Amino acid sequence: MSVLDDTRQLLRDLISYPTVSADSNLGLIKYLADHLHSCGARVDIWHDETGTKANLFATLGPERDGGIVLSGHSDVVPVADQDWSSDPFTMTERDGKWYGRGACDMKGFIAAAAAMAPRYARMELQRPVHFAFTYDEEIGCFGARALAAALQQRDLRPAVAIIGEPTMMQIIEGHKGCHEYTTRFTGLEGHGSRPDLGVNAVEYAVRYVAKLLELKAELQARAPADSRFTPPWTTINTGALVGGVAHNVIPGKARVDWEMRPVQPRDADYVSTALNQLCQEELIPQMRRTHPEADIHTEVIGEIDGLQPMDDNEARDIVMELTGCRHADVVSFGTEAGIFQTLGMSVVVCGPGSIEQAHKPDEFVSIDQMSQCLGMLERLSAKLV
Ligand SMILES: [Zn+2]
């Protein structure tokens, strides 16, 4: 069977596992583990604390540092309320395209990597090739974070990571981070006529938002001169400010949902230091003068690390050579790439299909894109021997 036929069969099987982020991915992980194991790979499966999700990490070739990681997330976004022309979890082929949930985001890349595994296994590999398939990317990259911790514990240092998110096989060497937070203000309810007896949670939330606005302006001035992002600075958005019940009631609770998209990690530190200072030194002490149980608490909804474009990037050099693509771009969507970068790897995002089709009904990947991806992975063999 040709590698494209193998890939078609693998993708059909992968799509048939409805690995929506809210549900278990264990069936799919076991399927991939069996496949890679039968190729002779050393396979590790690392479960999350609930035992319903797992990461897979597998290696072909020598057990040493400096390997090349092919990475993809196993979870997909839900199909509820979407109008599909065919069953989203049954792959169908129409007009040179393979349709199904996850076809481009990103089971297509996983299928291609898995189809190459037996071919890599037949070679005398000098450089290890690793397969890293994670859970919960779509809801905050939790799987990749756990995988990173496991690799560190094992003291294994691969050198290069290719993240196969759909880029139409273009090379992406940078994206902003995406940090989402919910900050809750607990004050003390009371009658509007006696503000001195209550702690107005909405008013404290407003002061917090005022600080966010101040920081938003400061971040513009902190933009790196060579930033390639649009806009070039770290942005902050206040997405929701919720609280209160009526004109004459002091609101006891308020909530601010906000996000920050850092272009550099030190901006995120700058913002969190400033906000901590405001809460700990100013707002909370003032609130507690009236009500000792008053509090401000920030919940982390997700902190996706940015991918910093680097001057030296072996991953970019390799993928440029393999694809013939002469330039590398930055994009606005987040991926797991930044997490791999913090482990010291050089990283690019490059995979089949378009982000335009991701998360939508009738998601597809074209066979042409899959062939291009397989071409890249076949040429990668030369880098492994
Ligand atoms: Zn994705």
Side-chain angles (χ1 to χ4, degrees):
M1 280 234 292
S2 76
V3 66
L4 185 65
D5 289 334
D6 288 350
T7 305
R8 178 190 282 113
Q9 187 55 52
L10 279 155
L11 183 55
R12 177 172 294 134
D13 293 346
L14 295 179
I15 286 175
S16 74
Y17 292 96
T19 49
V20 176
S21 309
D23 302 325
S24 172
N25 72 340
L26 295 183
L28 177 143
I29 289 294
K30 182 174 184 320
Y31 170 86
L32 284 168
D34 289 347
H35 170 76
L36 291 166
H37 193 254
S38 74
C39 304
R42 298 181 294 285
V43 183
D44 280 307
I45 293 177
W46 293 312
H47 289 84
D48 76 345
E49 62 275 17
T50 70
T52 61
K53 311 268 179 80
N55 286 321
L56 180 157
F57 187 79
T59 302
L60 285 167
E63 189 69 33
R64 66 167 182 83
D65 292 346
I68 296 180
V69 180
L70 302 176
S71 176
H73 60 81
S74 64
D75 58 321
V76 295
V77 294
V79 296
D81 300 324
Q82 289 188 347
D83 191 14
W84 282 71
S85 310
S86 54
D87 176 11
F89 299 109
T90 304
M91 189 174 99
T92 54
E93 186 170 332
R94 302 193 291 274
D95 311 322
K97 295 169 185 155
W98 293 335
Y99 288 85
R101 172 53 86 225
C104 71
D105 187 17
M106 54 185 291
K107 290 176 173 175
F109 181 79
I110 294 178
M116 285 305 298
R119 290 157 174 92
Y120 294 144
R122 283 196 288 272
M123 304 180 335
E124 275 301 320
L125 298 182
Q126 301 301 314
R127 188 174 193 179
V129 59
H130 308 282
F131 302 84
F133 302 139
T134 59
Y135 61 87
D136 283 358
E137 189 268 352
E138 299 288 3
I139 54 173
C141 293
F142 299 111
R145 239 173 262 283
L147 182 90
L151 289 181
Q152 267 177 323
Q153 202 163 24
R154 217 180 172 200
D155 202 23
L156 183 67
R157 296 166 208 281
V160 165
I162 301 171
I163 318 292
E165 288 278 359
T167 66
M168 291 300 279
M169 294 307 292
Q170 301 300 302
I171 302 170
I172 303 304
E173 60 173 338
H175 61 70
K176 289 188 184 185
C178 183
H179 296 194
E180 293 184 342
Y181 305 97
T182 290
T183 304
R184 292 193 165 82
F185 300 79
T186 309
L188 181 64
E189 284 197 356
H191 194 278
S193 63
R194 291 299 304 273
D196 50 314
L197 297 181
V199 177
N200 190 315
V202 167
E203 291 178 2
Y204 280 97
V206 165
R207 288 169 67 182
Y208 190 88
V209 171
K211 186 68 183 178
L212 290 177
L213 292 176
E214 214 177 277
L215 288 163
K216 192 170 169 173
E218 287 172 35
L219 289 167
Q220 283 202 30
R222 290 169 57 91
D226 57 351
S227 174
R228 290 156 59 197
F229 295 107
T230 315
W233 51 80
T234 294
T235 55
I236 287 180
N237 179 55
T238 304
L241 169 55
V242 183
V245 285
H247 299 76
N248 58 355
V249 179
I250 299 169
K253 293 205 182 311
R255 190 188 90 219
V256 177
D257 294 340
W258 61 282
E259 61 146 42
M260 160 170 60
R261 294 178 184 250
V263 295
Q264 49 192 350
R266 63 170 186 271
D267 283 352
D269 296 338
Y270 180 77
V271 168
S272 70
T273 305
L275 290 171
N276 261 329
Q277 208 173 349
L278 173 75
C279 292
Q280 299 306 325
E281 293 172 16
E282 231 179 284
L283 302 186
I284 294 176
Q286 285 176 25
M287 295 165 92
R288 288 186 178 166
R289 252 178 249 155
T290 309
H291 183 54
E293 278 85 62
D295 205 7
I296 301 174
H297 178 75
T298 293
E299 182 191 350
V300 178
I301 304 301
E303 287 182 334
I304 298 175
D305 297 314
L307 175 63
Q308 295 261 100
M310 296 287 184
D311 289 339
D312 288 320
N313 185 334
E314 190 194 358
R316 179 192 58 210
D317 298 345
I318 288 178
V319 176
M320 275 187 172
E321 190 186 326
L322 300 181
T323 60
C325 191
R326 293 321 312 158
H327 69 281
D329 251 321
V330 300
V331 288
S332 54
F333 60 89
T335 73
E336 301 177 334
I339 296 172
F340 288 90
Q341 190 175 48
T342 51
L343 285 181
M345 295 180 218
S346 72
V347 188
V348 287
V349 185
C350 180
S354 165
I355 195 74
E356 289 293 309
Q357 271 86 53
H359 300 197
K360 299 217 177 108
D362 291 341
E363 177 180 346
F364 68 84
V365 64
S366 73
I367 298 173
D368 176 62
Q369 278 288 304
M370 290 303 298
S371 300
Q372 285 189 43
C373 178
L374 287 166
M376 171 180 84
L377 295 175
E378 276 171 332
R379 288 185 287 276
L380 182 67
S381 311
K383 301 286 169 192
L384 302 172
V385 293

